[in-house]
């Protein structure tokens, strides 16, 4: 007889423990053990939360090289409760310790087959039992994350849901509760989220104002509301925004380091529909000429043409107005990014004046408010929802459907797809649905929202998702004080090095990449379902070389972590003071100058109820969950103990730890901390 020692780790999450009978069977290359109950004594300890229990499994002879462990569960005294198993460690008679990661729920009368942690590519997994398990696992996942009929025929129409025609496809779940337990929020997170959503207005003591259609009487009234809702950690930031929102320096700063730092681009030639003259900007440029400054690379443009022709939503019974402004900016000799001209519509003409800093204070202030309102729409729908949430969902779906658990890329990406399905289902049900907050309280919600998302999707390119390429395309390598770029590049490079280390450990040559059929299915599905088979996006349809794969996977992890943090985490900080980030405007843009008064501005800004609803949503979306995992945190062990990837994970964590001092930018008047690794979530989870 030989003895295998089995150590069972129950998860620490709420309700992870079980009183059910748990059975185990070991399968090796030579034989399999008998199915053994892991605790035969009645009224035993069971498997409580966080428990670690060891058992012996006797076999007549060695099972050979262990391939998988089968777990099953039967109810104890009719009590059907699920069990969350973290992992199983098996010590063989030869004294090898083999890890079988689980990190899943097991219900009564269910079975789980766990592969050992050693990663392998499909053509390296040569044992027929292992091959069968690999195939079966993908079939099961495609049933769960798509629809495969009983004869294992994939119904192409129903595999991914087309939420809106022309958008990246999505998972088909209508409700988070329908999803398999392992991709749902943990108990803590669900409670947190419901608590926040349900009681945000009450917590902010704003429920009495929620239905008010009144115009704010003054900025002081708004100040009193905000004052009660600054929590300590962000109070300084919110105070700063409130104090400086109307200054040109801060308005310009936000194009580089605000919520939407990916729109500004170097301007070497004025667009034909934006006829700014030397005369118009002579006060802003001093002795310098516009044409010369353009050649020097000191002139920048932000063009919201994506919003052109969209009709604003109705909010609280009032029509809202969307504009598609063009903003010209000048990086002056003090390294300040300053707005020098604003045109609120795309079609140049006498009824579409070009506003200048030399215009009346109210004219210039109102022009900047229209730009900030345009930024709200583009930020929330394009840069936040589409380019991070929906992209991350595509990567999540493709990973779960095409990469089995032994695949190294599956193990690598798992921390970066956590909770993404659920948060997107919640966003579809609670933000952009017919009665969602974006639909009810923003100019961009409602009928024209799909149109904007379709335009945004049509403009999506691979290079715009890769930070170094994106900075090159926008001509922004030299612009000073661009913390988003500087901190983002530090993270991009660290992620790249980590991904390169892990993937080159498994893919020894370009040939390995080419013959990995699972990987090729993964990228093909991303191309077809995420980028709608558009070759013009530059998204690869297949991988031919290791370096191409490394870059793509870096982009996937960067998008789900750093990029999402950069557009998500500061929403209340920048948007809590409503005039800096209005969700809609109630008056059409001025057609001539010198007509605007202070009252016009208050009448244009959102009403009281719309303001407080938007504040509540922005605060919810910026809040940090109690079970947040920062970038580099890998709480689950998916790679073999002591393997090269484990060492690389350690190095990755050390590299990230060495960053905060460099990245916190604490000496700045307004510290830029959104890309401090401690503040970056591993995945799109809020
Ligand atoms: Fe988000």
């Amino acid at each position: 007889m030989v003895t295998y020692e089995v150590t069972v780790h129950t998860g620490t999450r709420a309700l992870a423990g079980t009183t059910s009978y748990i059975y185990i069977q070991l399968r090796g290359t030579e034989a399999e053990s008998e199915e053994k109950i892991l605790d035969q004594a009645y009224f035993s300890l069971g498997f409580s939360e966080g428990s670690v229990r060891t058992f012996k499994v006797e076999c007549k002879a060695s099972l050979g090289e262990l391939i998988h462990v089968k777990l099953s569960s039967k109810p104890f005294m009719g009590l059907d409760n699920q069990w969350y198993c973290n992992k199983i460690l098996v010590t063989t008679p030869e004294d090898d310790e083999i890890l079988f990661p689980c990190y899943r729920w097991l219900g009564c009368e269910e079975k789980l087959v766990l592969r050992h942690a050693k990663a392998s590519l499909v053509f390296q997994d040569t044992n027929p039992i292992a091959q069968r398990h690999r195939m079966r696992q993908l079939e099961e996942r495609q049933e769960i994350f798509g629809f495969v009929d009983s004869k294992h025929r994939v119904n192409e129409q129903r595999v991914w849901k087309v939420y809106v025609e022309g958008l990246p496809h999505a998972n088909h779940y209508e409700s988070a509760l329908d999803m398999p337990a392992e991709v749902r929020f943990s108990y803590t997170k669900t409670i947190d989220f419901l608590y926040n959503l349900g009681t945000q207005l009450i917590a902010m003591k704003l429920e009495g104002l929620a239905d008010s259609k009144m115009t704010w009487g003054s900025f002081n009234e708004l100040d009193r509301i905000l004052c009660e809702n600054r929590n300590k950690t962000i109070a300084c930031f919110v105070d700063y925004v409130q104090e400086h929102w109307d200054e040109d320096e801060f308005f310009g700063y936000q194009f580089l380091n605000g919520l939407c730092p990916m729109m500004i681009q170097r301007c070497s030639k004025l667009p034909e529909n934006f006829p700014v003259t030397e005369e118009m900007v002579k006060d802003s440029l001093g002795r310098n000429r516009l044409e010369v400054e353009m050649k020097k690379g000191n002139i920048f443009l932000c063009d919201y043409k994506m919003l052109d022709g969209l009709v604003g939503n109705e909010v609280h019974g009032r029509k809202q107005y969307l504009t598609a402004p063009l903003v010209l900016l000048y990086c002056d000799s003090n390294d300040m990014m300053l707005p020098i001209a604003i045109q609120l519509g795309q079609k140049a003409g006498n009824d579409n004046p070009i506003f200048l800093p030399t215009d009346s204070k109210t004219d210039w202030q109102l022009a900047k408010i229209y730009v900030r309102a345009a930024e709200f729409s583009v930020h929330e729908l394009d840069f936040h929802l589409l380019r991070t949430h929906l992209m991350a969902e595509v990567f999540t779906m493709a990973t779960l459907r095409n990469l089995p658990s032994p695949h190294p890329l599956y193990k690598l990406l798992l921390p970066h797809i956590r909770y993404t399905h659920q948060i997107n289902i919640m966003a579809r049900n609670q933000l952009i649905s017919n009665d969602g907050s974006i639909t009810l309280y923003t100019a961009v919600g409602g009928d024209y929202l799909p149109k904007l998302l379709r335009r945004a999707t049509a403009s999506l390119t691979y290079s715009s998702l890769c930070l170094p390429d994106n900075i090159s395309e926008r001509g922004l390598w030299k612009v000073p004080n661009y913390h988003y770029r500087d901190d983002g590049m530090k993270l991009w490079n660290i992620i790249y090095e980590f991904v390169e280390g892990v993937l080159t450990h498994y893919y020894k040559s370009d040939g390995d990449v080419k013959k990995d059929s699972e990987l090729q299915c993964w990228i093909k599905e991303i191309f077809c379902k995420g980028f709608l088979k558009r070759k013009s996006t530059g998204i690869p349809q297949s991988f031919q070389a290791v370096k191409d794969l490394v870059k793509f996977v870096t982009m996937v992890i960067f998008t789900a972590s750093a990029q999402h943090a950069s557009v998500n985490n500061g929403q209340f900080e920048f948007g809590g003071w409503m005039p800096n980030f209005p969700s809609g405007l109630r008056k059409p843009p001025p057609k001539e100058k010198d007509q605007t008064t202070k009252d016009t501005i208050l009448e244009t800004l959102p009403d009281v109820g719309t303001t407080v609803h938007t504040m509540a949503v922005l605060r919810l979306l910026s809040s940090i969950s109690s079970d947040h995992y920062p970038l580099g945190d890998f709480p689950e062990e998916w790679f073999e103990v002591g393997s090269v990837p484990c060492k690389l994970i350690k190095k990755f964590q050390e590299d990230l730890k060495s960053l905060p001092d460099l990245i916190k930018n604490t000496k700045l008047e307004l510290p830029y901390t959104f890309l401090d690794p401690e503040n970056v979530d591993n995945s799109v989870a809020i």
Side-chain angles (χ1 to χ4, degrees):
M1 293 291 275
V2 294
T3 304
Y4 289 83
E5 199 174 82
V6 175
T7 305
V8 180
H9 294 246
T10 296
T12 52
R13 59 177 64 196
L15 310 177
T18 187
T19 52
S20 299
Y21 293 120
I22 302 296
Y23 295 81
I24 195 166
Q25 188 175 25
L26 311 180
R27 174 80 225 201
T29 47
E30 303 302 321
E32 63 185 349
S33 73
E34 306 226 324
E35 194 173 56
K36 178 186 161 60
I37 187 165
L38 286 183
D39 208 349
Q40 290 174 329
Y42 281 101
F43 306 111
S44 68
L45 291 172
F47 294 90
S48 55
E49 267 168 54
S51 65
V52 178
R53 302 188 61 199
T54 301
F55 306 88
K56 288 190 177 357
V57 176
E58 308 277 355
C59 298
K60 284 179 189 147
S62 168
L63 304 175
E65 198 181 319
L66 284 186
I67 298 172
H68 64 231
V69 159
K70 199 185 283 177
L71 294 173
S72 56
S73 165
K74 286 197 169 59
F76 169 64
M77 295 180 73
L79 207 62
D80 180 356
N81 55 11
Q82 289 197 324
W83 177 49
Y84 191 88
C85 173
N86 271 359
K87 61 183 181 180
I88 307 278
L89 276 169
V90 180
T91 307
T92 67
E94 297 82 24
D95 237 13
D96 293 325
E97 196 175 66
I98 301 173
L99 168 67
F100 294 85
C102 180
Y103 304 103
R104 285 184 66 173
W105 292 97
L106 176 67
C108 283
E109 311 297 349
E110 287 180 355
K111 280 192 172 66
L112 281 178
V113 180
L114 312 178
R115 280 297 302 273
H116 57 64
K118 189 177 176 189
S120 59
L121 301 174
V122 58
F123 52 84
Q124 295 161 342
D125 221 0
T126 50
N127 182 284
I129 301 164
Q131 282 175 341
R132 265 203 306 280
H133 172 257
R134 208 170 172 119
M135 276 174 58
R136 182 64 204 134
Q137 194 186 46
L138 284 184
E139 283 167 5
E140 277 174 10
R141 291 237 210 93
Q142 288 177 9
E143 277 175 38
I144 295 171
F145 299 102
F147 290 86
V148 181
D149 68 19
S150 55
K151 290 178 183 159
H152 303 297
R153 288 179 308 212
V154 176
N155 179 342
E156 268 296 331
Q157 297 307 310
R158 299 182 69 200
V159 167
W160 294 55
K161 185 165 79 178
V162 181
Y163 181 70
V164 175
E165 205 63 55
L167 258 64
H169 298 182
N171 75 62
H172 65 270
Y173 290 102
E174 299 290 336
S175 154
L177 294 174
D178 299 338
M179 285 196 310
E182 71 268 22
V183 293
R184 285 214 306 264
F185 283 168
S186 68
Y187 180 75
T188 324
K189 176 109 186 166
T190 310
I191 296 299
D192 265 2
F193 200 84
L194 290 176
Y195 173 80
N196 284 337
L197 199 63
T199 60
Q200 197 68 236
L201 280 167
I202 296 167
M204 294 170 84
K205 300 193 184 106
L206 297 177
E207 73 275 24
L209 300 175
D211 294 326
S212 171
K213 296 178 182 175
M214 302 276 286
T215 292
W216 290 99
S218 67
F219 285 147
N220 283 343
E221 282 184 9
L222 185 58
D223 175 45
R224 277 203 298 279
I225 299 299
L226 185 61
C227 211
E228 296 209 357
N229 286 292
R230 296 173 171 95
N231 70 41
K232 276 183 197 154
T233 44
I234 60 169
C236 294
F237 205 110
V238 173
D239 286 348
Y240 186 94
V241 173
Q242 189 177 347
E243 202 177 318
H244 298 276
W245 72 279
D246 189 32
E247 294 169 7
D248 286 358
E249 290 88 338
F250 184 63
F251 180 82
Y253 167 91
Q254 290 185 85
F255 288 100
L256 296 174
N257 303 306
L259 287 172
C260 210
M262 297 77 66
M263 274 197 80
I264 187 170
Q265 53 182 295
R266 187 179 156 183
C267 177
S268 47
K269 186 174 179 288
L270 280 175
E272 280 178 14
N273 61 338
F274 193 22
V276 178
T277 62
E278 292 284 355
E279 179 64 20
M280 286 178 186
V281 294
K282 69 175 194 296
D283 286 338
S284 297
L285 300 189
R287 285 190 209 142
N288 304 316
R289 288 184 56 78
L290 183 59
E291 207 176 323
V292 176
E293 290 304 302
M294 272 199 272
K295 278 192 185 130
K296 282 190 194 164
N298 294 331
I299 302 294
F300 297 86
L301 177 73
C302 203
D303 187 348
Y304 295 86
K305 61 186 167 197
M306 190 175 287
L307 296 169
D308 189 32
L310 300 187
V311 177
N313 189 24
E314 199 171 282
V315 173
H316 271 171
R318 280 276 299 264
K319 181 172 165 48
Q320 306 291 304
Y321 293 88
L322 280 168
T323 57
L326 291 131
V327 185
L328 202 64
L329 298 121
Y330 174 48
C331 186
D332 74 4
S333 54
N334 296 319
D335 292 344
M336 292 279 195
M337 185 65 79
L338 299 168
I340 56 173
I342 295 173
Q343 181 181 288
L344 296 178
Q346 290 284 312
K347 199 170 169 199
N350 290 338
D351 60 350
N352 186 19
I354 294 179
F355 291 96
L356 306 167
T358 47
D359 291 340
S360 75
K361 188 173 182 304
T362 45
D363 270 358
W364 184 237
Q365 188 179 54
L366 189 63
K368 288 190 289 183
I369 286 173
Y370 274 96
V371 174
R372 298 297 305 155
E375 173 125 322
F376 184 100
S377 303
V378 171
H379 165 268
E380 291 298 359
L381 273 302
D382 185 1
F383 290 96
H384 185 196
L385 180 64
L386 171 69
R387 285 167 193 264
T388 61
H389 280 254
L390 299 188
M391 282 296 99
E393 185 172 350
V394 168
F395 304 142
T396 303
M397 274 289 273
T399 302
L400 291 170
R401 287 172 43 82
N402 295 289
L403 304 176
S405 59
H407 200 289
L409 188 53
Y410 176 82
K411 293 170 186 283
L412 182 62
L413 289 182
L414 216 47
H416 305 290
I417 62 175
R418 181 175 181 256
Y419 295 159
T420 300
H421 271 325
Q422 179 149 353
I423 197 71
N424 282 6
I425 292 169
M426 285 178 160
R428 283 192 280 272
N429 290 345
Q430 293 170 25
L431 293 180
I432 59 173
S433 56
N434 287 342
D435 55 355
S437 301
I438 293 279
T439 309
L440 294 180
Y441 301 110
T442 71
V444 77
D447 294 347
Y448 280 78
L449 184 143
K451 193 166 183 180
L452 174 58
L453 280 170
R454 268 196 293 275
R455 281 185 189 176
T457 306
S459 73
L460 200 57
T461 59
Y462 182 32
S463 56
S464 68
L465 297 172
C466 296
L467 185 64
D469 299 348
N470 180 251
I471 297 293
S472 297
E473 280 178 352
R474 292 188 292 128
L476 286 185
W477 282 114
K478 287 186 186 156
V479 69
N481 303 320
Y482 195 10
H483 313 307
Y484 161 75
R485 173 201 60 203
D486 297 342
D487 296 355
M489 279 308 301
K490 284 175 197 147
L491 292 182
W492 176 277
N493 290 334
I494 288 176
I495 295 170
Y496 187 96
E497 197 181 314
F498 170 57
V499 169
E500 186 179 41
V502 174
L503 293 182
T504 54
H505 177 66
Y506 294 99
Y507 295 95
K508 298 296 183 197
S509 68
D510 292 346
D512 285 349
V513 168
K514 285 180 206 164
K515 67 182 178 189
D516 183 350
S517 54
E518 291 166 345
L519 177 74
Q520 300 297 351
C521 287
W522 180 74
I523 188 61
K524 192 169 176 209
E525 203 157 55
I526 290 172
F527 174 74
C528 294
K529 304 297 181 184
F531 295 84
L532 311 177
K533 302 181 183 170
R534 289 177 180 150
K535 289 183 190 162
S536 58
T537 59
I539 289 287
Q541 299 175 57
S542 64
F543 288 121
Q544 304 298 318
V546 180
K547 71 171 178 21
D548 297 338
L549 173 62
V550 170
K551 181 176 173 182
F552 192 87
V553 174
T554 302
M555 179 278 288
V556 169
I557 296 177
F558 184 84
T559 299
S561 58
Q563 186 58 30
H564 178 253
S566 74
V567 298
N568 183 81
N569 296 2
Q571 289 178 93
F572 192 75
E573 281 87 333
F574 284 107
W577 178 248
M578 173 274 282
N580 188 52
F581 203 47
S583 61
L585 296 173
R586 296 181 294 161
K587 279 180 166 288
K591 292 188 173 175
E592 50 189 311
K593 296 187 181 183
D594 297 322
Q595 303 294 311
T596 301
T597 64
K598 277 185 182 173
D599 284 345
T600 321
I601 289 175
L602 290 169
E603 285 159 16
T604 303
L605 286 167
D607 64 28
V608 172
T610 307
T611 304
V612 299
H613 272 286
T614 311
M615 277 170 74
V617 171
L618 293 178
R619 198 160 96 149
L620 169 69
L621 296 180
S622 316
S623 55
I624 292 179
S625 157
S626 53
D627 66 348
H628 129 108
Y629 286 119
L631 183 61
D633 211 347
F634 295 90
E636 298 176 353
E637 292 173 63
W638 283 96
F639 287 103
E640 216 181 350
V641 181
S643 63
V644 169
C646 288
K647 288 173 192 154
L648 291 166
I649 286 172
K650 227 169 159 220
K651 161 101 172 41
F652 182 48
Q653 290 166 339
E654 284 164 7
D655 289 348
L656 290 170
K657 270 208 184 86
S658 71
L659 268 185
D661 288 342
L662 298 171
I663 224 168
K664 264 183 182 147
N665 304 312
T666 43
K667 291 194 183 106
L668 298 174
E669 194 181 351
L670 185 66
Y672 184 82
T673 58
F674 302 114
L675 290 178
D676 178 339
E678 286 173 18
N679 299 331
V680 174
D681 250 355
N682 248 337
S683 62
V684 174
I686 186 75

